[in-house]
Amino acid sequence: EVHLVESGGGLVQPGGSLRLSCAASGFTFSSHWMSWVRQAPGKGLEWVGNIKEDGNEKYYVDSVRGRFTLSRDNAKNSVYLQMNSLRAEDTAVYYCATLRGFSAYDALDYWGQGTLVTVSS
Amino acid sequence: DIQMTQFPSTLSASVGDTVTITCRASQRISNYLAWYQQKPGKAPKLLIYKASNLESGVASRFSGSASGTEFTLIISSLQPDDFATYYCQQYNSYSWTFGQGTKVEIK
């Protein structure tokens, strides 16, 4: 059974940094692109970024490019989201998810439970 | 970026009704569209991928269709478990985008 467990969320001051982790199990992690999606309180879903199975290709939404960095460690079956220069508008629940196929363009079939990031002074 | 316009934003329906939710893309997306269901406090759940393909394990009362840049999710014979918020998402090109969501409420 596929499991994705996010961790690392919490309260951080504007301008601060946070590193989210997503631990995966139940599938061949090293064969799949991974994604992060966020949801501000009471709002809709926003795609944040995707990382290729080997970590050599990454895509980001414009609003986080240059501030957030995706990485992964296939030996640990984990994907990470390093968030720097955080702003109030980054406050959200952050979900990691798997792309269902082996392409950069596919739906998100498994999701973690999410971790809450709150940016506030 | 490709914009996804989803409507209605809210829909009131009764158990047994058939409901339709629509998403319109600002440009062609080659049917690279997914539909998700989300319940309060929970992660989204994939229902439909590639516009009309039912994800494994999803009830057959959910169906998707496409016509040009307009995409439709149909829920036939609405069940109590179906009251939730639904999102479309295009994955044709980066940056990926979601629709604004449709909340299906009990009438």
Side-chain angles (χ1 to χ4, degrees), chain A residues 39 47 50 104-106 108 112, chain B residues 36 38 43 49 91 94-96:
Chain A
Q39 186 169 37
W47 172 77
N50 284 6
Y105 302 91
D106 216 328
L108 302 172
Chain B
Y36 301 89
Q38 188 181 33
Y49 62 94
Y91 51 95
Y94 289 101
S95 182
W96 288 3

Side-chain angles (χ1 to χ4, degrees), chain A residues 39 45 95, chain B residues 36-40 42-45 84-87:
Chain A
Q39 186 169 37
L45 301 170
Y95 297 99
Chain B
Y36 301 89
Q37 176 194 69
Q38 188 181 33
K39 297 181 179 179
K42 300 294 186 182
K45 172 187 175 183
T85 300
Y86 294 84
Y87 295 93

Side-chain angles (χ1 to χ4, degrees), chain B residues 1-6 23-27 29 69 90 95 97-100:
Chain B
D1 289 359
I2 298 174
Q3 307 303 316
M4 301 302 298
T5 302
Q6 184 176 342
C23 255
R24 186 171 294 139
S26 60
Q27 57 188 270
I29 57 172
T69 59
Q90 69 81 17
S95 182
T97 43
F98 287 87
Q100 301 91 329

Side-chain angles (χ1 to χ4, degrees), chain A residues 11-90:
Chain A
L11 175 64
V12 61
Q13 292 189 339
S17 297
L18 215 52
R19 188 198 197 206
L20 305 184
S21 300
C22 172
S25 62
F27 66 104
T28 308
F29 179 77
S30 59
S31 296
H32 284 265
W33 283 73
M34 295 295 293
S35 184
W36 287 89
V37 174
R38 68 184 179 181
Q39 186 169 37
K43 301 298 184 182
L45 301 170
E46 180 183 36
W47 172 77
V48 174
N50 284 6
I51 182 168
K52 192 179 179 181
E53 55 266 21
D54 60 6
N56 289 335
E57 202 170 327
K58 305 169 192 179
Y59 298 95
Y60 301 93
V61 69
D62 285 349
S63 59
V64 310
R65 189 175 295 114
R67 299 187 300 123
F68 290 11
T69 302
L70 287 162
S71 63
R72 63 190 295 162
D73 184 340
N74 287 344
K76 295 183 177 180
N77 284 356
S78 293
V79 63
Y80 308 99
L81 183 65
Q82 176 66 43
M83 304 185 296
N84 299 332
S85 303
L86 282 161
R87 307 167 180 165
E89 54 265 36
D90 296 318

Side-chain angles (χ1 to χ4, degrees), chain A residues 87-121:
Chain A
R87 307 167 180 165
E89 54 265 36
D90 296 318
T91 295
V93 173
Y94 285 74
Y95 297 99
C96 71
T98 62
L99 278 68
R100 63 180 301 282
F102 304 103
S103 153
Y105 302 91
D106 216 328
L108 302 172
D109 58 350
Y110 292 101
W111 296 64
Q113 83 289 349
T115 187
L116 175 63
V117 172
T118 303
V119 184
S120 174
S121 54

